[in-house]
Amino acid sequence: MFMREIELRGHIIDSLILPKVFDKILDMGGDYKVLEFEIGKKKTDPSYAKILVIGRDERHVDEILSELRDLGAEIPEIEDVELKPAEKDMVFPEGFYSTTNHKTFIRYKGKWIEVENQKMDGGIVVYPEEMRAEVKTIRNVKKGDLIVVGHKGVRVIPPEKPREGGGLFEFMKSDASSEKPKETIIRKIAKEMYEIKEKYKKTGKGGIVVVAGPAIIHTGAGWALAKLIKMGYVQALFAGNALATHDIESVLYGTSLGVDLKTGRSVPGGHSHHLRAINTIMRAGSIKKAVEDGILDRGVMYECVKNNIPYVLAGSIRDDGPLPDVITDVVKAQEMMRETLKGKDMVLMLSTMLHSIATGNLLPSWVKTICVDINPAVVTKLMDRGTSQALGIVTDVGVFLPMLIEELEKLEKEKEIAKKSKN
């Protein structure tokens, strides 16, 4: 047998980190013994555990420890990270450390350095002269970059759930369910969004990214998303060709997928409306030019242009056209999305499975993430692919968005009344 000690600190009980550590050790064929265990007495007090990890041999224990580090386990023997240079562009060295989306620190030259641009499925590049480290995707690695290999000197800090709770993300800590009280949840989301907007107005930092699917337009809720942008609750929009195309179709023809949005009936020749909408924008040159020329006078894309809200329209193999604004190079689109997400406080994912999962892969775990979809499997898939912080609301987006607008308008009215009464 071979043994090593690990330490766990923080809200390790409420966050279920402790049972996850025990399960992982046993699942990997190891054993453990709890040497010390101190439970925080108050709701805000952290807990502490020292655990002896037992394995068949040194290699077996190292394999277990490499998994436990990603759960936040610390090894008492403090060692610096091991670095190896990349042998060529777009190639990590053998044994490279594969990142999680949790906050990560590395120990280098005796100092702990927070890793920048945290995301899952990357490598850590260290810049010795700057005493700085960042996550890079495999495509962005250059020959000679110093890459962290192994798990020595790496500390991962998963998000915690303190017992005091009370907010939206404590209220919704169970899995996605269609049985949750929608009005209460939407009211809490609106409050979080209002606070983020107020902070953004004061500091110009943070903000909300909306990831939107075409179902928003199909269900007749395009006006609500457009109003959300106009009210200042959207600092960036991620979508595909479909959302933009059907938004423009709805403005030009009053249809979405050829269905009249007022009557719900198919319109003769309506199947060609989306292609005619694309053709109109092609003739104008871009969505922005169509707005400037008065071709588009309302809608989601109109509000993005009028309010200077950046948008990333990522292409798909299924796209018709696509619109001239759509980025057909998926690597370029991914880079733009990653850059746009930096520093954001919340991501609101609305009825789009593929774009939601793609965005989740780019997010650090401390960004508040809300996924709204009529299919509960979408939220499950998102979480299974590593976006464990995602909170799911199973409902029709056509119902969700108008209710959200209503709650936000109530909040703004209440704040305005309170402001006037003070004056």
Side-chain angles (χ1 to χ4, degrees):
M1 290 192 301
F2 191 83
M3 296 173 283
R4 290 282 294 276
E5 291 181 5
I6 64 167
E7 294 177 334
L8 297 170
R9 290 183 174 84
H11 296 282
I12 58 177
I13 300 173
D14 303 282
S15 302
L16 301 179
I17 291 173
L18 187 62
K20 286 178 182 177
V21 166
F22 292 155
D23 287 345
K24 181 61 69 175
I25 294 170
L26 296 176
D27 288 345
M28 295 185 69
D31 200 356
Y32 63 85
K33 183 176 181 181
V34 179
L35 303 178
E36 293 181 39
F37 190 24
E38 298 174 10
I39 301 176
K41 295 181 180 178
K42 298 179 181 178
K43 290 182 177 180
T44 54
D45 290 345
S47 299
Y48 169 81
K50 181 185 283 188
I51 301 166
L52 187 68
V53 179
I54 305 166
R56 295 185 298 272
D57 50 37
E58 185 174 0
R59 182 177 178 180
H60 184 212
V61 171
D62 284 343
E63 289 174 354
I64 296 173
L65 293 184
S66 70
E67 295 291 326
L68 298 186
R69 283 180 191 270
D70 290 346
L71 294 173
E74 300 174 19
I75 311 300
E77 304 96 306
I78 299 175
E79 301 171 290
D80 275 4
V81 289
E82 183 181 347
L83 304 177
K84 284 185 181 178
E87 59 195 73
K88 57 191 294 189
D89 290 356
M90 296 192 290
V91 177
F92 287 133
E94 286 295 327
F96 72 92
Y97 173 79
S98 180
T99 59
T100 69
N101 58 352
H102 302 319
K103 193 175 289 293
T104 302
F105 294 80
I106 62 162
R107 187 174 175 83
Y108 181 66
K109 292 184 178 178
K111 293 184 178 180
W112 286 105
I113 302 170
E114 183 173 355
V115 178
E116 301 170 11
N117 301 328
Q118 192 64 49
K119 68 173 292 290
M120 67 177 79
D121 301 330
I124 299 176
V125 180
V126 178
Y127 305 95
E129 294 180 3
E130 304 171 41
M131 290 295 286
R132 189 172 68 84
E134 69 170 338
V135 175
K136 271 192 177 183
T137 60
I138 195 167
R139 292 191 64 88
N140 291 325
V141 168
K142 300 296 182 185
K143 181 179 179 180
D145 279 349
L146 293 176
I147 314 293
V148 173
V149 295
H151 287 75
K152 289 193 301 183
V154 179
R155 179 176 293 174
V156 177
I157 304 176
E160 297 180 341
K161 297 177 183 176
R163 277 175 287 171
E164 61 268 24
L168 165 69
F169 287 77
E170 179 68 14
F171 175 76
M172 289 181 60
K173 62 186 177 183
S174 63
D175 290 337
S177 171
S178 58
E179 297 179 356
K180 288 180 178 175
K182 301 296 184 298
E183 289 186 16
T184 305
I185 293 171
I186 292 171
R187 195 173 301 121
K188 287 176 179 288
I189 291 173
K191 187 173 183 296
E192 293 261 1
M193 292 177 69
Y194 182 84
E195 290 171 358
I196 291 171
K197 176 191 170 183
E198 290 300 297
K199 172 194 159 190
Y200 183 79
K201 281 168 59 179
K202 291 177 183 176
T203 66
K205 296 179 180 179
I208 301 167
V209 175
V210 170
V211 186
I216 294 169
I217 312 300
H218 303 333
T219 57
W223 68 268
L225 179 55
K227 189 166 186 177
L228 198 67
I229 297 168
K230 188 176 182 178
M231 291 171 71
Y233 287 97
V234 180
Q235 279 64 59
L237 175 72
F238 292 171
N241 180 67
L243 174 108
T245 295
H246 294 299
D247 169 61
I248 294 164
E249 177 194 347
S250 70
V251 173
L252 299 179
Y253 299 100
T255 62
S256 181
L257 280 177
V259 175
D260 190 302
L261 290 172
K262 290 182 178 178
T263 65
R265 295 178 180 177
S266 294
V267 175
H271 66 279
S272 68
H273 284 182
H274 76 285
L275 198 58
R276 297 184 189 281
I278 293 172
N279 195 54
T280 299
I281 304 302
M282 288 288 198
R283 184 179 295 114
S286 68
I287 295 171
K288 183 178 180 182
K289 195 69 169 59
V291 172
E292 291 171 349
D293 292 348
I295 297 168
L296 292 180
D297 59 2
R298 63 189 186 279
V300 174
M301 303 314 299
Y302 169 85
E303 293 297 345
C304 283
V305 172
K306 295 299 286 187
N307 293 281
N308 295 313
I309 301 303
Y311 54 85
V312 181
L313 303 179
S316 161
I317 196 70
R318 302 166 299 171
D319 290 343
D320 290 323
L323 289 163
D325 301 66
V326 171
I327 303 166
T328 54
D329 183 333
V330 292
V331 175
K332 183 181 176 183
Q334 187 185 92
E335 290 294 336
M336 288 186 67
M337 290 167 68
R338 182 180 294 111
E339 193 63 31
T340 305
L341 285 167
K342 286 182 180 178
K344 294 297 187 289
D345 295 312
M346 178 186 282
V347 175
L348 187 58
M349 301 171 171
L350 305 174
S351 291
T352 170
M353 181 174 70
L354 298 180
H355 275 78
S356 295
I357 293 171
T359 305
N361 290 345
L362 305 175
L363 284 174
S365 63
W366 57 87
V367 176
K368 294 171 181 176
T369 306
I370 300 165
C371 181
V372 180
D373 205 287
I374 203 164
N375 183 358
V378 173
V379 184
T380 304
K381 286 182 180 181
L382 183 65
M383 297 178 72
D384 285 347
R385 283 159 175 77
T387 312
S388 56
Q389 79 273 20
L391 303 174
I393 305 171
V394 180
T395 190
D396 183 349
V397 72
V399 174
F400 172 84
L401 274 172
M403 288 178 68
L404 179 63
I405 292 292
E406 186 179 340
E407 291 299 331
L408 288 169
E409 287 179 330
K410 284 181 187 176
L411 275 174
E412 295 201 349
K413 189 174 181 180
E414 288 170 7
K415 296 291 181 181
E416 190 62 32
I417 292 170
K419 189 177 179 181
K420 286 181 179 178
S421 64
K422 280 184 180 180
N423 298 333

